[in-house]
Amino acid sequence: MTLQPAGQSLANGAAGHALLHIERALQNGEWDKARTVIRQVVAEPVDSGVNAGLYYGAPAVAFVLNAASADDRSRYSDASRTLDQHVKAAVERKLRHAAAAMRTGRPTAFADYDLFKGLTGFGVLLLTRAPGSEVLGKILTHLVRLVRPRTSDGLQVPGWWVDHHPDPTLPTPGGHANLGMAHGAAGILALLALASRAGRIIDGQQEAIESLADFFDQWRQDSSAGPWWPQWLTCDDLRSGALTSHTHSGRPSWCYGAIGITRALQLAAEATGQKFRQEVAEEALAANLTDRHLDRLDTPGLCHGVAGVYQTAYRAARDARHPSIAERLPALAARLTTLPDGDASGLLTGAAGIALAAETARRNVPPVSDWDRCLLIT
C-alpha cells in the first residue's frame, strides 16, 4: 500500500494550512511564510492518481496555487498550467469510471461524485480555473444525469444512491441517499447552482436544480425550533415515503446539517430566480442560528463546528434578501473564541480553518483568496 503524501491533503495537511498563510499574505503582502508552507505541500511528487480529488493530490495543490494567484495571475502560473493537465486527466478517468457504473446499473459511490474525492469537487476547481472548458461541461452533464431517479432492487431511489454506509459505525442496510454538502445532494445542488450563477449552463441543468430543490422540500422536517433535514435516507424511508431513520435533527453544521443544506437551497433559488424559495431558504437558515441550535456545537472547526457555520452564514448573509442571517453573525463570531482550538494545522477540523473563519469575522469582508470555494458556499 502506497502512503499518500500528507502535505497534499487539503483536509488535514499542509495544503489546508497553506490557505491560511496565503490569505494573510494577500492581505499584508508578506509572502515568506506562505511560500515556505507551499514548498511543504509540494515536497513530494504531486499525486494525480486514482485517489486524487479536490481535497487531496493534484487538484488540492491546484486549488492552493489558484488561491495564491488571486491578486496576480502570473504567480505560480507555470506550475498551475502543468497541474491543469494532470487535473484534466484525473477528471476524464473519474468520468469514465462513473459513466461505466451508470451504464451498467451499478450504484455510484461517494468517490465518484462527492465534494472531497468525486466529480463535484473537481467541478469546484474547474469552475474557478476553467469555467468554459469542455471537461467542466462533462462533469455538469454527468451530475445532471445523476439527479434522475433509478431503480435498485425494485425500489425507486435517487440517482446518487450508494450501496455503502455513510460511516462504518452507522450501517444503512441496502444503501442510502446522502443529503449533506460534503457527500450528498446538497453538494451536487450547490455546484449546479454556482455554475448557473457563473453563466455556465448545460441542457437540463436548471431542471436538475429544481428537481433537487423539490427533493429537499419533500424531506424537510418542520419543528417548533425550525426546519431540519435528515443526514441521509434509507430503503425504509423511501418505501414508506416518511422519515423513519432519523427522529430528530442532527447538528446544524456545514457538512451534513441544515446550515449547509439551506445555503445550497438559497444558491439554487437565486440561480433559478425564485425569490419566494430564496426567502424560505434564508428563513430556515436563520432559524438554525439560534442559541438553542448553536449550543449543540461542541467543536470549533469548519466541517461540523462553529467555524463552518459562521463562514457559511457569512456568505449566505451577503446574498440574503433580509437581514435575519446577518443579525446573528456577531454572536456566531463570539463563539469562535470560546471553544478550544482544533488539531495543529488542519483545515476541516483544525486550527487553520478556524483561523480563516476568524479572519472573515475580524475583517467583515470576503476572503481575498476565496479559499471557502472548497466548501461550495460561494
Side-chain angles (χ1 to χ4, degrees):
M1 179 178 177
T2 302
L3 294 177
Q4 297 179 359
Q8 295 169 34
S9 170
L10 200 61
N12 51 33
H17 192 43
L19 289 178
L20 172 62
H21 294 286
I22 287 168
E23 178 63 26
R24 288 174 173 169
L26 289 167
Q27 293 174 25
N28 61 31
E30 298 176 5
W31 279 90
D32 287 350
K33 180 62 176 179
R35 292 192 185 102
T36 296
V37 181
I38 290 171
R39 284 194 291 270
Q40 294 172 5
V41 174
V42 296
E44 298 182 66
V46 177
D47 190 346
S48 59
V50 296
N51 293 315
L54 178 61
Y55 275 72
Y56 170 72
V61 178
F63 185 87
V64 168
L65 297 188
N66 187 78
S69 68
D71 66 338
D72 180 359
R73 287 300 165 190
S74 67
R75 189 180 292 128
Y76 297 113
S77 58
D78 290 344
S80 292
R81 281 193 293 270
T82 299
L83 284 167
D84 286 343
Q85 297 307 307
H86 290 290
V87 168
K88 181 180 178 182
V91 172
E92 295 284 6
R93 181 174 58 241
K94 185 78 70 174
L95 280 165
R96 287 193 297 271
H97 183 272
M102 186 176 288
R103 187 172 58 253
T104 59
R106 297 198 313 271
T108 188
F110 285 171
D112 291 334
Y113 75 85
D114 77 358
L115 175 63
F116 289 170
K117 297 181 179 181
L119 290 168
T120 297
F122 280 104
V124 170
L125 178 60
L126 290 169
L127 191 58
T128 302
R129 292 284 304 161
S133 63
E134 179 183 3
V135 70
L136 175 58
K138 291 179 179 179
I139 289 175
L140 296 175
T141 297
H142 179 80
L143 293 177
V144 165
R145 291 172 180 166
L146 201 64
V147 172
R148 300 170 188 163
R150 63 180 184 83
T151 300
S152 175
D153 294 328
L155 178 68
Q156 188 177 76
V157 299
W160 67 94
W161 182 270
V162 299
D163 62 358
H164 57 76
H165 308 314
D167 183 277
T169 63
L170 298 167
T172 52
H176 78 283
N178 201 285
L179 274 68
M181 188 74 95
H183 301 298
I188 299 171
L189 178 59
L191 178 63
L192 294 178
L194 287 167
S196 293
R197 191 164 75 165
R200 186 63 201 269
I201 303 173
I202 61 159
D203 289 346
Q205 186 169 324
Q206 300 299 86
E207 292 82 358
I209 290 172
E210 293 195 19
S211 176
L212 284 169
D214 289 342
F215 170 85
F216 279 106
D217 286 347
Q218 177 186 352
W219 292 101
R220 168 177 164 145
Q221 309 294 306
D222 289 304
S223 75
S224 60
W228 59 277
W229 288 262
Q231 295 178 317
W232 53 77
L233 300 173
T234 66
C235 292
D236 288 342
D237 295 329
L238 295 183
R239 286 194 188 96
S240 66
L243 189 63
T244 61
S245 58
H246 296 67
T247 58
H248 58 273
S249 65
R251 291 175 293 196
S253 61
W254 162 79
C255 59
Y256 266 103
I259 300 301
I261 288 171
T262 50
R263 175 55 172 161
L265 289 168
Q266 181 194 30
L267 289 168
E270 187 181 24
T272 53
Q274 296 178 307
K275 294 180 180 179
F276 174 73
R277 239 180 179 160
Q278 182 177 343
E279 291 175 357
V280 169
E282 290 164 4
E283 288 171 3
L285 201 160
N288 278 273
L289 294 177
T290 62
D291 289 340
R292 175 175 177 176
H293 288 292
L294 297 179
D295 285 346
R296 299 167 62 198
L297 297 174
D298 56 2
T299 59
L302 286 175
C303 189
H304 42 260
V306 175
V309 172
Y310 179 85
Q311 196 69 27
T312 305
Y314 176 82
R315 287 293 190 176
R318 289 183 62 82
D319 294 332
R321 297 175 58 80
H322 299 288
S324 56
I325 299 172
E327 288 168 354
R328 292 294 300 164
L329 291 179
L332 260 175
R335 286 176 179 263
L336 282 172
T337 63
T338 63
L339 291 169
D341 288 343
D343 61 47
S345 63
L347 179 72
L348 276 185
T349 61
I354 300 162
L356 280 164
E359 285 286 322
T360 301
R362 178 181 66 83
R363 299 175 69 239
N364 195 30
V365 294
V368 184
S369 62
D370 280 337
W371 65 265
D372 51 353
R373 286 178 176 172
C374 69
L375 300 179
L376 265 177
I377 58 177
T378 189

